[in-house]
Amino acid sequence: KTILETGQEPEGWQQATYYRYWMHMAHRHQNPAHFGIRTKDHKLIFYYGKYWVDTDDPNATWNKESWGNDFGNHTPPAWEFYDLKQDPKEMNNAYSDPKYKDIIAGLKDQLIKLREDINETDAKYPHIQKVIDAHWND
């Protein structure tokens, strides 16, 4: 029987998922670039707020004529954390709530490991890594 039929997770079943939204302020959606981790019970998101091309570099090239894109508009770095059991609609950013301090620290550790495991670090994007380093412990 499958997990869909039984609801029973096989031994070693992945407990967290990493995701990333690269297209900073694209297509009039006005979504800042970010990455995060999600478990069954929690979601932690870091908005680093810069396009993958360093738009502050005068020698950088990107499609500046693409309709609806605002890649050069840097947005403020920010964290969001949701307790999906208590807040399934993600209405309350609980990142600053001290009762979640240990959970958030654990999620950050998992996030680092997941990013390294899939070679999704920002070593090739120093303008993004600089933001991550400056705000990781906010």
Side-chain angles (χ1 to χ4, degrees):
K1 296 207 175 237
T2 69
I3 189 173
L4 293 175
E5 294 168 316
T6 67
Q8 299 295 313
E9 296 174 355
E11 188 174 330
W13 188 256
Q14 183 174 326
Q15 299 297 306
T17 262
Y18 168 80
Y19 78 96
R20 185 164 198 164
Y21 180 75
W22 278 96
M23 294 302 296
H24 180 69
M25 306 302 275
H27 316 303
R28 291 274 189 251
H29 294 156
Q30 298 299 302
N31 293 325
H34 61 280
F35 58 76
I37 184 171
R38 189 191 191 289
T39 66
K40 287 181 191 171
D41 297 335
H42 304 104
K43 186 186 286 185
L44 179 68
I45 307 158
F46 180 63
Y47 293 89
Y48 53 89
K50 290 185 182 251
Y51 190 49
W52 67 273
V53 174
D54 185 357
T55 58
D56 292 335
D57 178 349
N59 298 316
T61 59
W62 69 93
N63 184 355
K64 295 176 183 166
E65 306 305 318
S66 181
W67 178 87
N69 295 330
D70 195 10
F71 300 142
N73 179 12
H74 306 321
T75 57
W79 285 97
E80 288 183 6
F81 169 80
Y82 299 100
D83 180 332
L84 300 173
K85 294 260 190 227
Q86 301 297 316
D87 181 19
K89 294 184 179 179
E90 301 177 24
M91 302 300 287
N92 177 40
N93 179 4
Y95 185 78
S96 298
D97 188 329
K99 78 179 180 185
Y100 293 111
K101 180 182 175 193
D102 292 340
I103 292 170
I104 290 169
L107 288 170
K108 284 184 177 181
D109 288 343
Q110 289 181 63
L111 189 52
I112 289 169
K113 183 171 181 349
L114 284 170
R115 285 171 46 88
E116 289 172 350
D117 286 352
I118 62 171
N119 196 25
E120 176 67 13
T121 67
D122 285 292
K124 294 180 183 176
Y125 308 98
H127 66 292
I128 294 173
Q129 188 61 53
K130 184 177 178 181
V131 175
I132 295 168
D133 291 344
H135 296 279
W136 192 255
N137 295 314
D138 286 0

